[in-house]
Amino acid sequence: MALIDLLNISKHYEAQKILIDVNFHVDEGERIVIIGKNGSGKSTLMKIVNGTLEQDGGERICRQNLEVKMLSQKPEFKEGDTVREAVEAGLDELNRAKKRYDELSLLLADDFDNKLLIDEHERLSRYIEHHNAWNLDDKIERIIQHFDLVQYEDKPVIMLSGGEQRRVALASLLLQKPDILLLDEPTNHLDVYMVEFLEELLLKEKFTLVFISHDRYFIDRVATKCVEVEDCSIREYSGGYSSYLTQKEEYMRTLEKQHETLLTILKRENEWFSRGVKARLKRNEGRKERLMSLREDAKTNPSKIKKMTLELEREAKHFNRDKSVNKQKMLFEVENLGLTLGDKELLKNFTTRILQKDVIAIVGPNGSGKSTLLKALLGRIQPTSGTIKRGEFKIGYFDQHREMLDDDKNLIETFCPHGGDRVSVRGRDMHVYGYLKNFLFPREFLDKKIGILSGGEKNRIALALLFTKNVDILILDEPTNDLDIPTINILEEQLTNFSGAVIIVSHDRYFVDKIAKKLFIFKEDKHIEESYQNYSEYLELEKELKELSDMEKESQKAEPKIKESKPKELKLTFKEKIALEKLPLEIEELEAKLEEKNSCLANPACYEKIGIMQLARELEELEKLYEQKVEELLTIQLKEEEINK
């Protein structure tokens, strides 16, 4: 059922046309993402949907009494409100409805034939159900906790940072659950755990949603439709980001040759998405099936939970093995590093080496110390304990405050401070416009002052300037914030082609998966775990381990607490002791053989020599033997743990 119809909408600002004869519809239950370049009209379209911006032509038709609410980039709050009061703002009508519903329930117990009371009771029931407000108090506590607002709930909301205030405003809107929720970059200033909670809430409670986002995993999971704003018009694509890529590629095949560059980007992006996401999901199918099966049995059998936990932990360790190349030049040597900010300990006993070709993403919850670690590596703050030894090299640094830019200079002065109109980009002499058009800037921007540009445009300029520097390592703090997807694609391409080391701090899972070869993961115990997994795969594994741990605790609570004496005769047999020593080596040898066979399977010259059917049979036999050996080792390890209890 249509909630809002925009018919033949046009909008311009002075001489600049933004939208021309655009039709846009929002049906109940749809989750529509608006995508496009910065400045293309995404926010304009959303504001017209919201009714806060008047169109120059066309008609906006909406259902009677429709409740539309929007998350602003700069939210406003009632003066003097605490964080909790701000989160609960807007819930007065829901609370009154619940109170009246309870009153009617009591009245109907004595007067169950009263039609007026029955009708009002049913109307209020539908209203509360629509807003999913039956357990509103529990919902408030859950949202405050997941958005990390518990520590601020009694603090005046105006004392919080801009990012924290947006979390408060988002929490309030989610609780109100309007008929249509409008979100502009909702994942900015959220860490990956908050984003995951937001995804699950939006899907579970069936929000009708229109949003703008550059978070491609978020789009892919949440959106039911992608609407691209381009050249003053819009084009619709069904499904999430992966579907958009496929459909856009098909559409682009029908256009003229001038679009070949964009087609190349889309092909590369689509190939990566298919390879990087679907392949991982396929690879995890067996593990998922075992997990789901064990979850059913595990409700009554903690040992099975333990077995699955060991298997998942072993898989994590397999990815966390040191893969560094010692022959590479050392940039940073970190030993027993400790960091404290004020009274808060952020990091302790961190030891690592960062080499010349490392591409590292520093990840973890908000406030865990990621940006502080960057500043320690840059030498801007001193460690609380431990040492950081630096080699001889040049650093290019991008921070969220764009400190390298001068608002009083125009683009020509910024890129050519010594005059002229040429810029050197990694040894290549280019006209400044020829370079900047790669970052989606038209020629008329060359004379514009930095100070009048939008936040996203300033970020694009800062990144473009960074890649003109002759540096050995790039250090980037949240580089994708305020960027549109086309610009993030350009950033990813520049980083992929960069020959030096890269260290990034980012919550963008898609960006980290695509760029990083190694993770520094801030853990709750103030330590950093190093991993070579894809970030989304690490998060999935972490979630499964947590679920198994929670299930184990629950099953132990449910069991009768009967103390059983450990049988004295329980011990490893001689054969099991020998197997415990030999199996790890045998498993490593099998892993090497599997890697060799898989490499051959990807090489026509190799598999044609052996025969692809023969090679597939050998690979299948090796995989069966590998699973058998791993199962045998896990069984003995479980027995050993029982003995040592």
Side-chain angles (χ1 to χ4, degrees), residues 559-576:
E559 282 185 337
K561 296 186 178 180
I562 301 171
K563 290 187 178 180
E564 295 181 4
S565 58
K566 186 170 65 180
K568 293 181 181 179
E569 66 274 9
L570 185 61
K571 62 181 180 179
L572 291 182
T573 65
F574 177 75
K575 186 178 177 181
E576 287 171 333

Side-chain angles (χ1 to χ4, degrees), residues 49-74:
V49 172
N50 192 34
T52 52
L53 182 66
E54 190 73 25
Q55 66 271 18
D56 297 320
E59 189 177 7
R60 176 182 182 269
I61 303 170
C62 64
R63 196 183 71 186
Q64 193 174 9
N65 299 321
L66 189 73
E67 186 181 36
V68 184
K69 294 197 175 180
M70 180 172 175
L71 175 67
S72 169
Q73 289 285 0
K74 293 182 179 178

Side-chain angles (χ1 to χ4, degrees), residues 27 193 211 221 345 389 417 464 515 533 575 578 593 634:
D27 292 340
Y193 304 103
F211 66 104
R221 187 169 183 208
E345 184 181 37
K389 293 179 184 175
I515 297 301
Q533 282 175 284
K575 186 178 177 181
I578 296 297
K593 287 179 182 177
L634 285 169

Side-chain angles (χ1 to χ4, degrees), residues 193-249:
Y193 304 103
M194 296 175 190
V195 172
E196 187 178 70
F197 170 73
L198 176 60
E199 288 171 350
E200 290 173 357
L201 187 65
L202 292 171
L203 295 174
K204 182 182 176 184
E205 300 201 1
K206 297 181 174 59
F207 275 78
T208 299
L209 180 67
V210 180
F211 66 104
I212 297 169
S213 179
H214 68 263
D215 186 327
R216 289 156 287 182
Y217 280 153
F218 181 77
I219 293 171
D220 202 57
R221 187 169 183 208
V222 171
T224 58
K225 182 164 73 178
C226 297
V227 171
E228 185 172 31
V229 185
E230 189 175 32
D231 298 330
C232 304
S233 62
I234 67 172
R235 182 172 289 273
E236 294 185 1
Y237 302 89
S238 61
Y241 187 66
S242 54
S243 296
Y244 156 75
L245 287 173
T246 303
Q247 293 169 68
K248 176 82 176 194
E249 187 177 334

Side-chain angles (χ1 to χ4, degrees), residues 177 187 213 245 263 315 482 644:
K177 198 188 175 192
T187 62
S213 179
L245 287 173
L263 182 58
E315 185 171 342
D482 296 319
N644 294 331

Side-chain angles (χ1 to χ4, degrees), residues 8-49:
N8 303 116
I9 296 293
S10 294
K11 183 66 186 176
H12 67 272
Y13 295 109
E14 297 178 352
Q16 185 181 4
K17 293 179 179 179
I18 305 297
L19 301 171
I20 301 174
D21 289 333
V22 162
N23 293 306
F24 181 85
H25 314 278
V26 184
D27 292 340
E28 190 170 3
E30 281 192 310
R31 297 184 297 275
I32 304 170
V33 61
I34 304 173
I35 57 179
K37 297 175 186 176
N38 284 341
S40 62
K42 301 189 299 293
S43 295
T44 298
L45 179 60
M46 182 174 275
K47 288 173 184 174
I48 293 172
V49 172

Side-chain angles (χ1 to χ4, degrees), residues 23 44 46 88 107 133 156 175 179 200 219 355 376 395 397 429 437 460-461 465 474 497 511 529 532 541 585:
N23 293 306
T44 298
M46 182 174 275
E88 294 179 1
L107 291 171
L175 287 165
D179 296 321
E200 290 173 357
I219 293 171
L355 307 177
I395 297 176
Y397 176 53
D429 184 62
K437 72 179 181 181
R460 270 193 280 158
I461 287 294
L465 186 61
L474 293 171
N497 295 331
F511 177 70
E529 176 184 336
Y532 290 88
L541 192 62
L585 295 174

